[in-house]
Every structure is written in C-alpha cells, then in structure tokens.
Amino acid sequence: MRKIQRFSFRKIFSSSLKPTLKRPRPFQAYSFVPFNPLAMLDPTILTIGGIVLGIAIIERILERWGVIDLVDQFAKVMRFILPVIFYGALFYFFATFMF
C-alpha cells in the first residue's frame, strides 16, 4: 500500500512567498496648454453674444409681424456685421486670454 502524504493549503501557499505589492509613486502631470472653460465667461464676450442673440430675436419678431421689407434690409446689414463681430470677438478672446 502506498503512503500518502498530506499538506495543508496554508503550508503550500505560505504568506512569506507572496510578492509584496508596491504602489506606484504619485507623480504630478502638467498640461502644456492651460485652458479653463470658465474663461469663456468673459463679460465682453457675453455682452456681444447677448447683442447678437437679441438681434436674431428682433428679426424673428419682425418676420412674424409681417414686415418682410424691413427684415430683408435687416438681413442684408447683418450679413456683413455678424461675421465682423464674430471675428472681432474671437480676436479679442485670444488677445486677452493668458497662455
């Protein structure tokens, strides 16, 4: 008859054989492009945006009232002024934004 040798589970897998878990050291990451979304809340940019939104609302109201001739003249003027306002605000934003 064969002799059977028994080992306990704790004896085979003792705690001394466990590899020690080393946590990685925390490191600081720096961004090369500092951008804060709250920088878009500049009062000048918000004022220009409010004016443009107000102009669009006034144009819609005039269209509902049926003053189509005035709306056409308004649209012709805005076709030139709105891109100028947009690019001016964009230039202002990047000129005053601190990099």
Side-chain angles (χ1 to χ4, degrees):
M1 185 179 226
R2 265 196 236 172
K3 186 176 181 182
I4 298 175
Q5 199 173 14
R6 294 183 185 226
F7 295 101
S8 69
F9 183 79
R10 291 182 183 178
K11 189 175 182 181
I12 294 173
F13 296 104
S14 66
S15 62
S16 64
L17 297 177
K18 285 184 185 176
T20 58
L21 294 175
K22 292 184 179 178
R23 294 186 180 197
R25 291 182 181 175
F27 64 95
Q28 294 180 349
Y30 296 99
S31 174
F32 293 107
V33 180
F35 181 73
N36 186 358
L38 296 177
M40 294 295 288
L41 296 178
D42 183 34
T44 307
I45 300 294
L46 291 176
T47 303
I48 292 171
I51 290 171
V52 170
L53 186 63
I55 289 170
I57 291 172
I58 289 171
E59 189 174 353
R60 290 294 174 189
I61 290 171
L62 289 174
E63 188 178 2
R64 276 194 188 164
W65 287 351
V67 192
I68 302 300
D69 295 335
L70 188 58
V71 172
D72 275 343
Q73 295 298 323
F74 210 78
K76 286 179 185 176
V77 172
M78 288 297 114
R79 196 172 295 145
F80 172 74
I81 291 177
L82 289 179
V84 171
I85 291 174
F86 171 75
Y87 288 117
L90 194 64
F91 175 75
Y92 172 80
F93 175 72
F94 283 115
T96 59
F97 185 63
M98 301 301 282
F99 283 103

